[in-house]
Amino acid sequence: MKKSKSFDLSQPTRQSYAAILIIMYRLYRVIIRQLLPVAVIILLQGKLDKSGWFLYPIITIAVIGAAYSILAFFRYYFYLEKDKLIVKKGVLKRSTLEIPFDRIQSVNFEQNLIHRLFSVVKLNMDTAGSTGNELQLYALNRDMASQLSELILQSIKSKKKSLDISENKTTPVDSRKQIFGLSIGQLFKVGITENHIRSGGIIVFFLFYIWDSLEDFGVDLIEKGEQYMPVAQQLVQSMAIVIVLVILFSIIAFTISMVRTVLNYYDLKMYRKGHGFVVVSGLLNKNERAAKDEKVQILKSSQNLLQSWAGIYELVFKQASSAQASEAKSIKSIGLSKENLFEAEAYLLKKNHNESRSLKMKGVDFYFLYKRLFYWTSLMIALTIFFVYNNKIDTLVISLLLYSLAIYASYLAYKKKRYAWGSNIFRLDAGVFGRSRQVVENHKIQNIHLKETPFQRRRGLSTVELHTASGVLTVPDIKRHDAYSMKNYLLYKVESSKKKWM
């Protein structure tokens, strides 16, 4: 077995030379994104001639970008000093970043095609309270990145005040135990059961982006569109054309879902490493993200309607973070079976695992459903009056069908909104056509808010908000005495617990 090379990280160290290409790529990508609307305008207005004048600014920008990338590389270095990581960087303006080890929440690896070509990795470090990655080292030798990660994480684990890195000693990497691997068959099953409505939204968003970009540059799309409006109206009036367009839109949305799934979750593997989880996935960009047990605040498992038919689950580890970054710092594994989900929950919750499944769940008050029925019915009455007045009976029929669907969805949301608390666990279930379950250990709850609207107060109801370091769990419209019982009990458990919340 090949022995990992050891590095003296107490000395100022630069990244791999591949970082020059990666910095250059990031810079050019931003420039191209900004100039894309300009290029579209030039092509649409036919101002592109054969003189080649447009090549000169492109070459100038490319040369300046290359020079900037090289300078940025040589003026960027890092080193370890006692119990902190120090980074010095900057081309025109120099800056020094000092990150104490105990602030670092997680250290994650990432590889795109350039990283793989040069056998390097990108290292991302997240800290408590940051809205994104506090620090990114764009290209490091794999052994160096592993050594740096292990030194930091071992320092946090052992709570030592300093690290003796002068001897170049590294802590052996904890062995990994694979608890889940996504096969090719499961990968396509995940793609088929993805949220295709979201993929359709991407198409709509892209069309609006092009529209806004062209309008910003003075292209009158309304005037141009009016020239083709008669033809468009004739096409829309043809039911066959409408059906073809709907099918085409659905195929494109489905294709986007499949491509996104393969790019994000190809060769997904979830490991158990020490007292935490590691999730590795990606086709072009290989992401490796870690979640320590104590950092995970909420464990969420879910299924949409298609996933429930296929018998697969999504599992999300929500880690401690600011409210703005809670989703960015969540780690998701997808395509799990019920047995895989059970095993992962058992690792994280340990002795509390059986309690989370044996809790006696309670439903919310009927007022939860009544509000939604009132909102949808009021809207439907207003639409009915409008459509009847304007003699649009066909549109009214479609609205009635959508109203029926909204009422049914409201009923499902009411039936599936359930909650329970025990001596160590709080659990919240929800869903409409799918279902989700969120579990938090009581000692990780930071504070509890009770809210009452005037309408709730008349009915003796309250809404309970459980705040954690990774988000809020909301239990709406429950009896006031249940809300106070829950609050008093959970606060007692939090205050009496000796366990660390992170």
Side-chain angles (χ1 to χ4, degrees):
M1 183 176 179
K2 185 178 178 180
K3 187 177 179 180
S4 297
K5 184 179 178 181
S6 185
F7 301 88
D8 183 3
L9 299 178
S10 64
Q11 300 300 317
T13 304
R14 288 195 178 97
Q15 303 174 81
S16 167
Y17 284 103
I20 298 176
L21 293 177
I22 295 171
I23 295 172
M24 197 180 304
Y25 164 74
R26 289 168 56 86
L27 180 63
Y28 289 159
R29 186 176 62 180
V30 172
I31 294 173
I32 292 172
R33 188 180 300 165
Q34 296 297 324
L35 295 181
L36 181 60
V38 179
V40 173
I41 294 299
I42 293 174
L43 291 174
L44 287 178
Q45 296 185 351
K47 293 183 178 181
L48 193 65
D49 55 29
K50 298 181 180 180
S51 62
W53 62 268
F54 60 91
L55 292 177
Y56 297 110
I58 293 176
I59 293 172
T60 302
I61 292 173
V63 171
I64 294 175
Y68 175 87
S69 302
I70 294 172
L71 287 174
F73 169 78
F74 281 103
R75 293 176 68 84
Y76 190 117
Y77 57 90
F78 65 94
Y79 58 93
L80 303 183
E81 184 178 276
K82 294 184 178 180
D83 58 349
K84 59 186 176 183
L85 172 65
I86 299 177
V87 177
K88 296 190 175 183
K89 59 181 179 178
V91 177
L92 301 178
K93 181 181 178 181
R94 298 289 290 166
S95 64
T96 300
L97 179 64
E98 296 186 3
I99 306 178
F101 290 162
D102 56 8
R103 279 186 55 201
I104 297 174
Q105 299 295 303
S106 61
V107 182
N108 303 310
F109 296 156
E110 181 180 333
Q111 280 186 309
N112 58 28
L113 290 177
I114 299 177
H115 289 106
R116 295 186 189 183
L117 182 63
F118 292 95
S119 300
V120 295
V121 298
K122 177 183 176 183
L123 189 144
N124 299 319
M125 295 185 186
D126 296 330
T127 61
S130 63
T131 57
N133 293 312
E134 176 88 6
L135 175 67
Q136 296 179 330
L137 298 176
Y138 298 111
L140 287 184
N141 175 281
R142 179 76 192 208
D143 292 336
M144 181 186 291
S146 297
Q147 179 178 334
L148 177 60
S149 172
E150 290 300 323
L151 284 170
I152 293 172
L153 296 179
Q154 182 65 20
S155 173
I156 298 171
K157 183 178 179 180
S158 61
K159 299 181 181 178
K160 291 181 179 179
K161 294 183 178 180
S162 62
L163 283 173
D164 182 9
I165 59 175
S166 59
E167 299 179 3
N168 290 326
K169 293 181 178 179
T170 60
T171 304
V173 178
D174 293 333
S175 59
R176 293 181 174 184
K177 176 187 176 183
Q178 182 174 323
I179 57 178
F180 172 67
L182 190 65
S183 66
I184 296 296
Q186 290 172 308
L187 178 66
F188 281 98
K189 186 185 290 186
V190 169
I192 293 171
T193 58
E194 268 288 279
N195 188 342
H196 304 304
I197 296 177
R198 179 175 56 189
S199 299
I202 293 175
I203 301 172
V204 175
F205 173 80
F206 176 75
L207 294 176
F208 275 110
Y209 170 76
I210 296 297
W211 179 285
D212 289 340
S213 298
L214 294 178
E215 283 192 333
D216 289 341
F217 285 92
V219 178
D220 193 345
L221 294 176
I222 296 179
E223 181 180 346
K224 290 183 176 296
E226 288 177 349
Q227 300 174 8
Y228 303 99
M229 190 62 68
V231 178
Q233 290 176 342
Q234 292 178 5
L235 292 176
V236 171
Q237 290 172 357
S238 172
M239 184 58 67
I241 296 296
V242 172
I243 293 174
V244 170
L245 290 176
V246 170
I247 294 174
L248 181 61
F249 185 86
S250 302
I251 292 174
I252 295 174
F254 177 80
T255 303
I256 291 175
S257 295
M258 291 298 298
V259 171
R260 288 177 62 251
T261 299
V262 173
L263 291 177
N264 293 331
Y265 301 114
Y266 176 79
D267 197 29
L268 184 148
K269 290 182 174 61
M270 182 165 64
Y271 299 94
R272 184 66 181 173
K273 178 184 176 183
H275 298 286
F277 296 88
V278 176
V279 177
V280 182
S281 66
L283 180 60
L284 301 180
N285 291 350
K286 199 76 170 179
N287 295 297
E288 179 176 320
R289 306 192 66 188
K292 289 290 184 181
D293 291 349
E294 63 270 17
K295 306 297 183 187
V296 178
Q297 304 295 295
I298 299 174
L299 182 67
K300 180 180 180 180
S301 57
S302 62
Q303 291 178 307
N304 61 33
L305 182 61
L306 296 177
Q307 288 170 340
S308 64
W309 292 344
I312 59 177
Y313 294 81
E314 290 185 13
L315 183 63
V316 179
F317 302 97
K318 294 188 174 184
Q319 300 190 87
S321 65
S322 63
Q324 295 84 356
S326 59
E327 291 302 320
K329 291 187 178 179
S330 297
I331 298 178
K332 182 165 74 172
S333 185
I334 197 168
L336 285 75
S337 66
K338 195 170 185 177
E339 292 73 22
N340 298 140
L341 183 66
F342 186 90
E343 184 178 4
E345 290 180 345
Y347 275 121
L348 181 65
L349 301 177
K350 300 176 177 64
K351 296 179 180 179
N352 300 328
H353 179 234
N354 290 330
E355 179 184 339
S356 71
R357 294 185 173 252
S358 60
L359 290 173
K360 187 176 180 180
M361 306 300 293
K362 299 181 179 181
V364 297
D365 191 81
F366 181 78
Y367 179 66
F368 177 87
L369 175 60
Y370 171 77
K371 288 187 300 184
R372 285 154 178 76
L373 295 178
F374 177 80
Y375 295 152
W376 287 114
T377 302
S378 300
L379 177 61
M380 190 63 229
I381 291 173
L383 290 175
T384 300
I385 295 173
F386 175 79
F387 291 140
V388 171
Y389 179 79
N390 290 277
N391 197 28
K392 296 184 177 181
I393 305 303
D394 293 343
T395 308
L396 176 61
V397 172
I398 296 175
S399 299
L400 286 171
L401 293 175
L402 293 176
Y403 169 72
S404 302
L405 180 62
I407 295 300
Y408 180 60
S410 300
Y411 173 76
L412 292 177
Y414 163 69
K415 294 296 290 184
K416 294 181 180 180
K417 181 72 73 172
R418 303 176 69 79
Y419 68 98
W421 70 91
S423 57
N424 298 291
I425 291 291
F426 175 84
R427 174 177 158 185
L428 178 64
D429 293 356
V432 181
F433 297 106
R435 62 181 65 251
S436 69
R437 179 173 72 239
Q438 298 187 82
V439 176
V440 59
E441 294 176 287
N442 292 341
H443 69 276
K444 293 184 178 181
I445 297 172
Q446 294 190 325
N447 54 69
I448 302 174
H449 293 170
L450 263 60
K451 295 184 177 181
E452 293 181 1
T453 66
F455 299 103
Q456 288 178 314
R457 197 174 298 117
R458 287 173 52 191
R459 294 168 173 81
L461 304 175
S462 296
T463 292
V464 183
E465 293 182 348
L466 280 66
H467 293 255
T468 73
S470 65
V472 180
L473 299 180
T474 302
V475 186
D477 304 319
I478 64 174
K479 296 296 183 182
R480 185 181 294 121
H481 62 81
D482 284 341
Y484 277 96
S485 296
M486 182 197 306
K487 177 182 178 181
N488 294 334
Y489 181 80
L490 292 179
L491 287 179
Y492 162 74
K493 297 298 292 185
V494 171
E495 293 170 0
S496 61
S497 177
K498 302 296 183 181
K499 299 178 181 179
K500 292 185 178 180
W501 64 273
M502 65 172 291

